[in-house]
Amino acid sequence: MSYAEWAGIAAPYSRSFGALCASTIPEVLTEARVGGHAPGRVLDAGTGTGEVAIAAAAAGWQVDAFDAEPSMIAFATESAGARADASSIRFTTATLPGIPYPDQAFDAVTANFAINHVDHPRECLAELWQKLVPGGRLVATVWPWESTPTGRLWREIQDETGAYPPPADRLPAGSDFDRSEDGLAGLLAECGFEDVRARRVRFTWRVAADDLWSGVEAGIAVIGYAYAAAAPETRERMRAAYDARTPALTGADGLLHFELSAVLASGVRPAVAG
Ligand SMILES: C[S@@+](CC[C@H](N)C(=O)[O-])C[C@H]1O[C@@H](n2cnc3c(N)ncnc32)[C@H](O)[C@@H]1O
């Protein structure tokens, strides 16, 4: 998904796939403090609706956050402004590579499901490396390339309705990286990070069926591309196929439950650049 496709979808993103991405926030902020560092200055890259930035501010970090999409930044600014503990966050519209922050300005950088959306991951990570103080840590998350309960749901709907997305424009082989612990850790090491650690974050994601579907209707993720490309009659069949499957996924709380995992990796800018 190129960042241009994030325009005007902040509200449905927040209800659906943004709520999913927020599942890793506690682990991301814990990882940013590995080594016993107290909360200092953090830069949140590809902040989207600002959930990581807002949680970081609430945890005592001094936060700068940026996103390429102005409507995401507008949504994040409004969300943070509604909270006394997040009103000091500085949100900026900016695109990697080429962000307007001085080098060596941050004790930590967070990139929650952002590196998997840029065209040049190595170039972007090298630039984020520059923004860290020596000894500062970058924490990144990506979705693994493997079968997931949400992926199975979307595939069943596609198989039943024949609504497949246009061919995905995957990154060229030389730019891409494996969406696994080893793949993300290797990417960080290639970009000059040291003390690289990677692990799987496992969680149960609970979401209302209509909230998740609002993300599909907004054209988010592969199922969203398929929906956007489908004829009106096919869209109706997609929703019917979804409705037919959600009861089996619904818990006693009335929400859909998905057992999911994300890949989290972090690394440090070494004290002496090598
Ligand atoms: C999946 S969302 C993640 C948002 C947020 N970090 C979260 O956890 O919800 C990816 C975000 O990256 C942004 N993005 C994509 N390419 C970007 C780039 N080159 N520079 C800055 N932001 C970018 C998009 O606009 C989008 O808001």
Short mmCIF file of all heavy atoms in Angstrom, two decimals, residues 3 6 13 21 46-48 66-69 72 94-96 112-113 117-118, ligand 1:
data_model
loop_
_atom_site.label_atom_id
_atom_site.label_comp_id
_atom_site.label_asym_id
_atom_site.label_seq_id
_atom_site.Cartn_x
_atom_site.Cartn_y
_atom_site.Cartn_z
N TYR A 3 1.79 5.15 0.48
CA TYR A 3 1.22 6.02 1.51
C TYR A 3 0.11 6.88 0.96
O TYR A 3 -0.78 7.30 1.70
CB TYR A 3 2.31 6.84 2.20
CG TYR A 3 3.01 7.85 1.35
CD1 TYR A 3 2.43 9.08 1.10
CD2 TYR A 3 4.26 7.59 0.81
CE1 TYR A 3 3.07 10.01 0.32
CE2 TYR A 3 4.91 8.51 0.04
CZ TYR A 3 4.32 9.72 -0.22
OH TYR A 3 4.94 10.64 -0.99
N TRP A 6 -3.44 6.07 1.90
CA TRP A 6 -3.92 6.25 3.28
C TRP A 6 -4.76 7.52 3.40
O TRP A 6 -5.21 7.86 4.49
CB TRP A 6 -2.74 6.31 4.24
CG TRP A 6 -1.96 5.03 4.29
CD1 TRP A 6 -0.85 4.71 3.56
CD2 TRP A 6 -2.25 3.87 5.09
NE1 TRP A 6 -0.43 3.44 3.86
CE2 TRP A 6 -1.27 2.90 4.79
CE3 TRP A 6 -3.25 3.56 6.01
CZ2 TRP A 6 -1.25 1.65 5.39
CZ3 TRP A 6 -3.22 2.32 6.62
CH2 TRP A 6 -2.24 1.38 6.30
N TYR A 13 -9.81 3.45 9.63
CA TYR A 13 -8.57 2.77 10.01
C TYR A 13 -8.52 2.63 11.53
O TYR A 13 -8.20 1.55 12.07
CB TYR A 13 -7.35 3.56 9.51
CG TYR A 13 -6.04 2.99 10.02
CD1 TYR A 13 -5.51 1.82 9.48
CD2 TYR A 13 -5.36 3.58 11.09
CE1 TYR A 13 -4.34 1.26 9.98
CE2 TYR A 13 -4.19 3.03 11.58
CZ TYR A 13 -3.68 1.87 11.03
OH TYR A 13 -2.53 1.32 11.53
N CYS A 21 -3.34 -2.79 14.92
CA CYS A 21 -1.93 -2.37 15.07
C CYS A 21 -1.63 -1.91 16.50
O CYS A 21 -0.50 -2.06 16.98
CB CYS A 21 -1.60 -1.25 14.09
SG CYS A 21 -1.59 -1.79 12.36
N GLY A 46 5.77 7.01 10.90
CA GLY A 46 4.55 6.47 10.30
C GLY A 46 3.48 6.31 11.38
O GLY A 46 2.88 5.27 11.54
N THR A 47 3.24 7.40 12.10
CA THR A 47 2.42 7.35 13.32
C THR A 47 0.95 7.04 13.05
O THR A 47 0.23 6.62 13.96
CB THR A 47 2.55 8.67 14.10
OG1 THR A 47 2.07 8.50 15.43
CG2 THR A 47 1.80 9.83 13.43
N GLY A 48 0.48 7.23 11.81
CA GLY A 48 -0.94 6.95 11.51
C GLY A 48 -1.84 7.80 12.40
O GLY A 48 -1.69 9.02 12.49
N PHE A 66 5.53 11.53 13.14
CA PHE A 66 5.24 12.01 11.77
C PHE A 66 4.57 10.93 10.96
O PHE A 66 4.66 9.74 11.26
CB PHE A 66 6.53 12.47 11.07
CG PHE A 66 7.47 11.35 10.72
CD1 PHE A 66 7.39 10.71 9.48
CD2 PHE A 66 8.42 10.91 11.62
CE1 PHE A 66 8.24 9.67 9.16
CE2 PHE A 66 9.28 9.86 11.32
CZ PHE A 66 9.19 9.24 10.08
N ASP A 67 3.87 11.39 9.92
CA ASP A 67 3.25 10.48 8.96
C ASP A 67 3.20 11.19 7.62
O ASP A 67 3.07 12.42 7.55
CB ASP A 67 1.83 10.09 9.41
CG ASP A 67 1.32 8.85 8.68
OD1 ASP A 67 0.87 8.98 7.51
OD2 ASP A 67 1.39 7.76 9.26
N ALA A 68 3.27 10.41 6.55
CA ALA A 68 3.24 10.99 5.21
C ALA A 68 1.86 11.55 4.86
O ALA A 68 1.74 12.43 4.01
CB ALA A 68 3.63 9.93 4.18
N GLU A 69 0.82 11.04 5.51
CA GLU A 69 -0.55 11.37 5.11
C GLU A 69 -1.13 12.47 6.03
O GLU A 69 -1.35 12.22 7.22
CB GLU A 69 -1.40 10.08 5.15
CG GLU A 69 -2.87 10.27 4.94
CD GLU A 69 -3.23 11.21 3.79
OE1 GLU A 69 -2.66 11.10 2.70
OE2 GLU A 69 -4.11 12.06 4.01
N MET A 72 -4.09 11.64 8.33
CA MET A 72 -3.73 10.84 9.51
C MET A 72 -3.21 11.77 10.62
O MET A 72 -3.57 11.63 11.79
CB MET A 72 -2.64 9.81 9.16
CG MET A 72 -3.14 8.63 8.35
SD MET A 72 -4.16 7.53 9.38
CE MET A 72 -4.30 6.11 8.28
N ALA A 94 5.28 14.34 7.29
CA ALA A 94 6.60 14.17 6.68
C ALA A 94 6.69 12.77 6.11
O ALA A 94 6.04 11.85 6.62
CB ALA A 94 7.70 14.39 7.72
N THR A 95 7.51 12.63 5.08
CA THR A 95 7.62 11.36 4.36
C THR A 95 9.05 10.84 4.41
O THR A 95 9.99 11.59 4.12
CB THR A 95 7.19 11.55 2.89
OG1 THR A 95 5.86 12.05 2.87
CG2 THR A 95 7.23 10.24 2.12
N LEU A 96 9.19 9.57 4.78
CA LEU A 96 10.48 8.89 4.69
C LEU A 96 10.73 8.47 3.25
O LEU A 96 9.80 7.96 2.62
CB LEU A 96 10.47 7.62 5.55
CG LEU A 96 10.81 7.74 7.02
CD1 LEU A 96 10.46 6.45 7.73
CD2 LEU A 96 12.27 8.10 7.23
N ASN A 112 5.83 1.32 14.25
CA ASN A 112 4.86 0.25 14.44
C ASN A 112 4.12 0.00 13.12
O ASN A 112 3.31 0.84 12.70
CB ASN A 112 3.88 0.65 15.55
CG ASN A 112 3.11 -0.52 16.13
OD1 ASN A 112 3.66 -1.61 16.33
ND2 ASN A 112 1.83 -0.31 16.44
N PHE A 113 4.43 -1.11 12.45
CA PHE A 113 3.82 -1.45 11.15
C PHE A 113 3.97 -0.31 10.15
O PHE A 113 3.03 0.04 9.43
CB PHE A 113 2.35 -1.84 11.34
CG PHE A 113 2.18 -2.94 12.35
CD1 PHE A 113 1.64 -2.68 13.61
CD2 PHE A 113 2.61 -4.21 12.08
CE1 PHE A 113 1.54 -3.67 14.56
CE2 PHE A 113 2.51 -5.23 13.02
CZ PHE A 113 1.97 -4.95 14.26
N HIS A 117 5.48 -0.66 4.98
CA HIS A 117 4.69 0.12 4.02
C HIS A 117 5.53 1.10 3.21
O HIS A 117 4.97 1.88 2.44
CB HIS A 117 3.59 0.90 4.76
CG HIS A 117 2.48 0.00 5.23
ND1 HIS A 117 1.56 -0.57 4.38
CD2 HIS A 117 2.18 -0.44 6.46
CE1 HIS A 117 0.74 -1.34 5.08
NE2 HIS A 117 1.09 -1.27 6.33
N VAL A 118 6.85 1.09 3.39
CA VAL A 118 7.68 2.03 2.63
C VAL A 118 8.30 1.32 1.43
O VAL A 118 8.50 0.11 1.45
CB VAL A 118 8.78 2.68 3.52
CG1 VAL A 118 8.15 3.45 4.67
CG2 VAL A 118 9.76 1.64 4.04
C1 LIG B 1 -0.27 0.44 8.93
S1 LIG B 1 -0.19 2.15 9.21
C2 LIG B 1 0.56 2.16 10.83
C3 LIG B 1 0.22 3.40 11.58
C4 LIG B 1 0.63 3.42 13.05
N1 LIG B 1 2.06 3.28 13.24
C5 LIG B 1 -0.12 2.37 13.84
O1 LIG B 1 0.53 1.61 14.58
O2 LIG B 1 -1.36 2.34 13.75
C6 LIG B 1 1.13 2.71 8.18
C7 LIG B 1 1.31 4.23 8.18
O3 LIG B 1 2.54 4.53 7.53
C8 LIG B 1 2.37 5.73 6.80
N2 LIG B 1 3.41 5.77 5.77
C9 LIG B 1 3.51 4.97 4.68
N3 LIG B 1 4.63 5.28 3.98
C10 LIG B 1 5.24 6.29 4.66
C11 LIG B 1 6.44 7.04 4.44
N4 LIG B 1 7.23 6.80 3.39
N5 LIG B 1 6.76 8.02 5.33
C12 LIG B 1 5.96 8.25 6.40
N6 LIG B 1 4.81 7.58 6.66
C13 LIG B 1 4.46 6.61 5.79
C14 LIG B 1 0.95 5.66 6.28
O4 LIG B 1 0.44 6.93 5.92
C15 LIG B 1 0.23 5.01 7.46
O5 LIG B 1 -0.33 5.97 8.31
#
